[in-house]
Amino acid sequence: MVKLDRYDAESPGRVRPDVGEAELGYLFVPEAWGRGYGAEACAAALDWFADALPGERVVLRTQTANERSMRLAAKLGFTEVERYEGYGAEQWLGVWSSVTPSG
């Protein structure tokens, strides 16, 4: 499962408190882990999102202990915004945008 939802305004780690960011979420059965399906599915969802809402940011949260999810976030181009404590563990918050920063 891959989904894009509006980021919960009550959750910690809002990138811009005045904007309801989109949040990428995913859940895959263990049989699919390590086969590249997550990267392919999430990249397709982000491509669709970039076409539908150009320039809008997407956030992603995961536990820092989830090494596979951290690698997927990096592979997809998410940049760390902050780390915080939640659900009894260290959480990671990253942001992605289809807009290429100007140099």
Side-chain angles (χ1 to χ4, degrees):
M1 174 180 73
V2 174
K3 66 179 188 162
L4 287 158
D5 284 328
R6 287 291 165 197
Y7 196 67
D8 182 1
E10 301 301 315
S11 294
R14 294 197 39 91
V15 176
R16 289 189 51 202
D18 59 325
V19 176
E21 293 114 357
E23 180 175 10
L24 177 67
Y26 45 83
L27 179 65
F28 300 100
V29 295
E31 295 82 13
W33 296 354
R35 298 177 183 263
Y37 300 139
E40 183 178 349
C42 289
L46 290 170
D47 285 347
W48 171 86
F49 187 85
D51 286 342
L53 298 164
E56 189 166 333
R57 294 191 229 198
V58 178
V59 296
L60 170 71
R61 291 181 284 174
T62 189
Q63 288 189 2
T64 56
N66 187 338
E67 294 175 12
R68 287 181 179 213
S69 191
M70 294 290 292
R71 283 194 305 269
L72 178 58
K75 185 179 219 174
L76 293 170
F78 282 84
T79 304
E80 183 174 327
V81 173
E82 72 173 309
R83 293 177 185 220
Y84 60 94
E85 194 69 23
Y87 308 104
E90 184 181 56
Q91 305 294 316
W92 183 90
L93 174 72
V95 66
W96 176 91
S97 175
S98 62
V99 175
T100 305
S102 56

